């Protein structure tokens, strides 16, 4: 195929959920990617949209070793890099804070390239996913991600039915309409929010638009994975067979 035609192999790999684009470039440079049975090792290589693309066993073995960690983030920690004197949530991932009974043992190698797959505000708590696996990151925070995130939100203020309907669908932030949400009362002072997007401080800003003030926010589920009884400030590995 002409070098100017087709789609970059790294993009195709990412779109098919085989790895992230960054990982794809690394695999291509190491000669671990095959297009229609032919090994490719040149960055920028393009292929037909329907090309058969596979990873070498060495690449799949590397992926199998990549860790995904579930952390119960406390208030006061930022999701990503340290900022304004606040520690990143990843600093809580140590051998001492691993939940008792986790089958896999923590190793320092699990920290290499470990990054949050989504944000959780400094003043929010609950389930935060940190991963070395680009496939997981894309699934949870890719532009086309539809994975649900569920939150319990404690609020102050009056909420009538029209405003509740607006929370479910009809609001916009920064001039862009929000995707439909599932918002309902969980109990007398907590709302349940189920979202498929993650704009910055989205829930707090949504609530402000209908006259509510958030006094507590906890993420309890991402896809099919629940926070469950994971203690605050502790973490565990994503278990074999557990998928978002």
């Amino acid at each position: 195929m002409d070098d100017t035609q087709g789609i970059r192999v790294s993009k195709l790999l990412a779109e098919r959920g085989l790895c992230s684009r960054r990982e794809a470039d690394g695999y291509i440079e190491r000669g671990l990617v095959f297009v229609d049975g032919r090994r490719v090792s040149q960055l920028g290589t393009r292929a037909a949209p329907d090309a058969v693309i596979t990873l070498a066993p060495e690449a799949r073995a590397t992926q199998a070793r990549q860790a995904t960690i579930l952390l119960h983030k406390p208030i006061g920690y930022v999701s990503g890099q340290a900022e304004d004197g606040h520690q990143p949530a990843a600093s809580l991932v140590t051998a001492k804070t691993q939940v008792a009974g986790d089958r896999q043992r923590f190793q320092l190698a699990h920290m290499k390239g470990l990054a949050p797959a989504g944000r959780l505000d400094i003043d929010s708590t609950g389930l935060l996913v940190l991963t070395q696996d680009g496939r997981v990151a894309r699934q949870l925070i890719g532009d086309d991600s539809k994975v649900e995130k569920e939150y319990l939100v404690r609020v102050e203020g009056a909420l009538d039915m029209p405003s509740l309907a607006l929370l479910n669908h009809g609001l916009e932030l920064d001039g862009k309409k929000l995707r439909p949400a599932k918002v309902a009362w969980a109990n007398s002072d907590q709302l349940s929010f189920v979202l498929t997007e993650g704009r910055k401080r989205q829930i707090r800003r949504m609530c402000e638009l209908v006259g509510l003030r958030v006094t507590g926010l906890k993420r309890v589920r991402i896809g099919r994975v629940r926070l469950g009884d994971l203690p605050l400030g502790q973490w565990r590995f994503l278990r074999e067979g557990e998928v978002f």
Side-chain angles (χ1 to χ4, degrees), residues 171-236:
L171 295 176
E172 63 177 51
L173 295 176
D174 305 319
K176 185 177 179 182
K177 286 191 176 297
L178 295 172
R179 293 179 184 173
K182 299 174 186 175
V183 185
W185 285 105
N187 52 51
S188 60
D189 65 347
Q190 276 188 317
L191 289 166
S192 167
F193 275 72
V194 178
L195 307 179
T196 57
E197 60 186 330
R199 309 265 196 99
K200 188 173 183 179
R201 299 183 72 80
Q202 178 174 336
I203 291 177
R204 296 176 190 276
R205 295 168 69 196
M206 289 173 69
C207 287
E208 288 173 2
L209 289 174
V210 296
L212 298 176
R213 187 173 78 87
V214 172
T215 60
L217 192 155
K218 182 178 186 179
R219 183 157 61 203
V220 296
R221 177 174 65 88
I222 298 178
R224 286 169 281 185
V225 176
R226 293 189 172 275
L227 178 65
D229 58 0
L230 185 64
L232 184 68
Q234 295 189 32
W235 64 274
R236 67 173 176 85

Side-chain angles (χ1 to χ4, degrees), residues 71 73-80 86-92 120-124 128 233:
L71 170 69
K73 186 189 87 69
I75 291 171
Y77 288 82
V78 293
S79 298
H86 296 289
Q87 288 294 309
S91 66
L92 289 168
L120 193 58
D121 298 332
I122 189 171
D123 44 5
S124 300
L128 180 67

Side-chain angles (χ1 to χ4, degrees), residues 44-184:
T45 298
R46 294 174 181 267
D50 59 350
V52 176
I53 303 178
T54 55
L55 295 175
E58 300 97 306
R60 296 197 298 273
T62 297
Q63 290 180 324
R65 292 191 296 270
Q66 291 173 328
T68 294
I69 283 170
L70 310 178
L71 170 69
H72 188 165
K73 186 189 87 69
I75 291 171
Y77 288 82
V78 293
S79 298
Q81 298 296 317
E83 56 183 76
D84 300 328
H86 296 289
Q87 288 294 309
S91 66
L92 289 168
V93 181
T94 68
K96 289 184 178 180
T97 55
Q98 185 175 11
V99 72
D102 212 10
R103 292 185 178 181
Q104 188 174 351
R105 289 185 62 186
F106 172 73
Q107 300 175 8
L108 287 178
H110 292 135
M111 299 300 295
K112 184 178 180 181
L114 189 72
R119 65 166 65 92
L120 193 58
D121 298 332
I122 189 171
D123 44 5
S124 300
T125 185
L127 182 59
L128 180 67
V129 176
L130 302 137
T131 188
Q132 296 175 313
D133 193 331
R135 297 169 299 175
V136 172
R138 178 178 173 81
Q139 181 187 8
L140 299 187
I141 59 175
D143 291 339
D144 56 350
S145 174
K146 299 293 191 296
V147 174
E148 290 185 345
K149 288 91 173 176
E150 182 179 354
Y151 305 80
L152 288 178
V153 185
R154 195 174 300 278
V155 294
E156 289 181 350
L159 179 66
D160 56 21
M161 292 305 292
S163 295
L164 181 59
L166 275 175
L167 287 173
N168 277 273
H169 193 206
L171 295 176
E172 63 177 51
L173 295 176
D174 305 319
K176 185 177 179 182
K177 286 191 176 297
L178 295 172
R179 293 179 184 173
K182 299 174 186 175
V183 185

